[in-house]
Amino acid sequence: MAVYCRCTAAPEKRAALDALRKVAKKEAWTIAGEFVDLQERSASAAQPEWQRLRNSIKAGSVDVVAVPSLVAIADEVSGLLAEILWLRDQGCDLYVHDAKLNTTSPVDRVFFEAVKAVKAVDDAAVPRAKSTAGPRQKPAPKKEPQMTRYQRTLIDAALSSGLK
């Protein structure tokens, strides 16, 4: 089992790790590693510790990943769905603390199938959104405003009197 947190401050990190350690103790899971990415709230930079955790999963060192919330895994829905399905494909379970989701239980394993279905909908929506936009049309040429007869008379009178 591995613990992963993505936090913006040390107190947040400490609280998240403590909560996940309690769960591991309660479930009798052995923590193989703790992976923490610290970053600013506005930064959506790479998550090196998540990549290191992925390598541990590929190596077979980790069979359960515990996170404080789904937001720790990815910033956007499509990325989150992809990561969850990657975990499933690797045979790695997921524990999400704030959702009390634990895919080590048979009931919660349905979560992986639900994510697979949502990912299919998300994937299908992307090409459709692009195709319905259609080709980009050129903006209509700007029409010059038409002068009224009165305006034309005023301009002609001004020009004939020497005004420029």
Side-chain angles (χ1 to χ4, degrees):
M1 183 249 190
V3 173
Y4 176 75
C5 297
R6 186 171 57 145
C7 308
T8 57
E12 182 184 358
K13 169 189 160 188
R14 194 173 320 111
L17 288 175
D18 287 347
L20 294 172
R21 287 178 190 137
K22 281 182 187 177
V23 170
K25 185 175 181 178
K26 178 183 167 199
E27 297 288 334
W29 291 332
T30 303
I31 297 177
E34 293 180 352
F35 302 83
V36 180
D37 281 315
L38 288 173
Q39 66 186 48
E40 294 180 26
R41 286 200 189 277
S42 61
S44 59
Q47 302 166 13
E49 288 296 296
W50 178 255
Q51 294 306 316
R52 202 168 69 95
L53 173 57
R54 284 177 61 116
N55 292 337
S56 295
I57 294 167
K58 284 181 196 174
S61 313
V62 174
D63 59 350
V64 177
V65 173
V67 295
S69 69
L70 290 173
V71 176
I73 298 173
D75 289 328
E76 74 285 337
V77 173
S78 60
L80 174 65
L81 297 173
E83 290 298 325
I84 290 171
L85 291 176
W86 183 86
L87 288 171
R88 183 205 60 178
D89 293 344
Q90 299 300 313
C92 185
D93 283 304
L94 177 64
Y95 174 81
V96 183
H97 186 65
D98 68 353
K100 303 295 185 239
L101 175 70
N102 180 1
T103 64
T104 61
S105 77
V107 173
D108 284 350
R109 286 201 74 71
V110 172
F111 175 72
F112 282 141
E113 294 307 310
V115 167
K116 184 178 173 183
V118 171
K119 178 81 169 113
V121 170
D122 187 55
D123 289 346
V126 171
R128 200 176 316 124
K130 290 179 182 174
S131 66
T132 57
R136 189 170 180 174
Q137 295 178 357
K138 292 181 181 177
K142 292 183 180 179
K143 293 183 179 179
E144 292 294 322
Q146 297 294 320
M147 286 192 279
T148 64
R149 181 174 280 154
Y150 176 73
Q151 290 171 325
R152 189 76 192 135
T153 305
L154 287 176
I155 290 173
D156 287 343
L159 290 173
S160 64
S161 70
L163 291 176
K164 295 183 180 178

